[in-house]
Structure formats: structure tokens, C-alpha cells
Amino acid sequence: MKLLDDSERARYRRHLLLPELGEEGQLRLKNGSVLIIGAGGLGSPIALYLAAAGVGRIGIADADRVDVSNLQRQVAHSTADVGRLKVESASESMTAINPNVAVEAISEMITPDNIDHVIDSYDFVIDATDSLDAKFFIDRACVKAGKPYNHGAIWRYEGQCMTVLPGTASFSSLFPEGPEAVAKEDVAGPLGTVPGILGCIQASEAIKYLAGIGSLLTDRMLRFDILTMRFDEINLSGQ
């Protein structure tokens, strides 16, 4: 196990003062790994906060390039990054925040054919995609492999999130018929802050899992609407 040095104790001082986290929890973060699938609206805040928190190894996978229309919400990228691979600009932003973390940029599309191999070496997976099809095959691959993961999705002013561990309710179990069972509507938005809010929640779930603190969003789905500023929880324990 890698231990904290003096510079890391200074960097993570506010974490070390938290009784639930402390040095033991911070060490677990340092020795843990997370894969983020998607480097856009959700992936951006997730990546930045996991890097800032000191997760030792972070993979970020995306095949897209930065477009100027992304900058309204994808805070890991800047105007100067337009045209670059998202994983390249996100990696630079992450290491600028915390050079102690090892960032693995995966500039390929994650598909049903390669996901098993890609997720294998990580402790926790986060779905930060904007594709319904991807959400289903990520869920199924993680459940099959017994890989802990977090599902997140946004639409306009709304977001939803759940964490899946072996034996708990999964996203696919809510819709056994697959993507065809989910109503598809025209894409509009989202409000730029929505992925920021949800991304922070997703990052928090990964941090809690690695550090072994708190209660995870298992067997329940958290949903929110920014227009009404209401947060609701759906109990999934009967699934």
C-alpha cells in the first residue's frame, strides 16, 4: 500500500480532519482506482473532483473531440481545447489540479465488444455517458463482472443517479426490455449546471465507496429537478 507523504498530508488536510474519512480513508482513495466512461458534461466534474480528492488512478474514456457547444457545461475543457480529444484536455485539467494522480486517457469508444476488458482493472466504474444504449450495456457488463458502478443520467433540468453493487438493484433490472422500453424524447438542453450537480453526486459515491464511508445509493434512485429544486428518492429494494 502506498502511504501519504508530507505534501499529500498538506494537500488533503481538510479530508484528514474529517473523522469518518481521516488518513485511513485518504489512503484508500490513494490506492484506489475509478474508470469514468464519458468526458463530457457529467464526466468533467466527476474527473476534476476525483482528481482533487486524491483517487490514485483514474481512467477516463471518450472518443469525441471538444466542440464549442460543449463549453456551456463541460468544465474540464476550455475554449483553447476546441478540436482536441476530450480525454486529452480533461487529463491535463486533472493533473493541473493534482499531479499526484495517475490519469489514464482512453481515446476509444467503449462498446459491448471492449467494455469487459476496459473495466477489468478498476475498482469502481462511473457511467457518465449521454447514450441510452451505452447505459444499458455498461450496466449489464458491470453486473456480469460483479463490478461496483454508478449510473447517472440528465435531461433538460433533471438528473438521476444510483449505485449498483453485486446483488443490488441495477439499471437494467428497472427496464428488462432494454432501451426500447424507455421513452425517447427530443434532446433539449441541459441547463449547464445540471451535469455539474449530478457529476458531484456521482463523484461522491465513488469517493464513499473507495473510502468505505457513508451510505451508498444502492437499491434506490435519487432524482432531482433544478426548476423546482426538489430532490426525490425512489425505493428500488423490491426490484
Side-chain angles (χ1 to χ4, degrees), residues 144-194:
K144 177 183 176 183
K147 183 74 63 174
Y149 101 98
N150 178 270
H151 156 85
I154 55 174
W155 182 73
R156 295 189 177 182
Y157 304 99
E158 303 171 14
Q160 68 180 39
C161 182
M162 65 186 291
T163 294
V164 181
L165 302 182
T168 68
S170 67
F171 180 66
S172 294
S173 70
L174 304 179
F175 307 98
E177 297 86 358
E180 295 74 19
V182 182
K184 297 180 177 66
E185 301 187 45
D186 291 338
V187 175
L191 183 70
T193 55
V194 171

Side-chain angles (χ1 to χ4, degrees), residues 7-80:
S7 67
E8 289 172 315
R9 288 191 178 90
R11 178 182 289 270
Y12 307 124
R13 179 174 178 272
R14 295 303 179 99
H15 272 184
L16 302 183
L17 293 173
L18 292 170
E20 298 83 1
L21 188 64
E23 183 153 341
E24 181 180 350
Q26 192 63 51
L27 278 171
R28 290 177 178 172
L29 295 181
K30 179 175 181 176
N31 288 279
S33 60
V34 177
L35 172 67
I36 308 164
I37 304 179
L42 291 175
S44 288
I46 294 167
L48 297 180
Y49 274 101
L50 291 184
V55 174
R57 184 168 65 93
I58 306 170
I60 185 161
D62 200 311
D64 289 343
R65 294 180 180 271
V66 180
D67 183 83
V68 69
S69 65
N70 300 149
L71 303 179
Q72 158 257 12
R73 65 199 179 281
Q74 300 185 15
V75 295
H77 318 296
S78 70
T79 302

Side-chain angles (χ1 to χ4, degrees), residues 130-147:
D130 58 5
S131 162
L132 187 58
D133 289 336
K135 293 186 181 305
F136 274 92
F137 76 67
I138 291 169
D139 178 272
R140 289 167 177 162
C142 288
V143 169
K144 177 183 176 183
K147 183 74 63 174

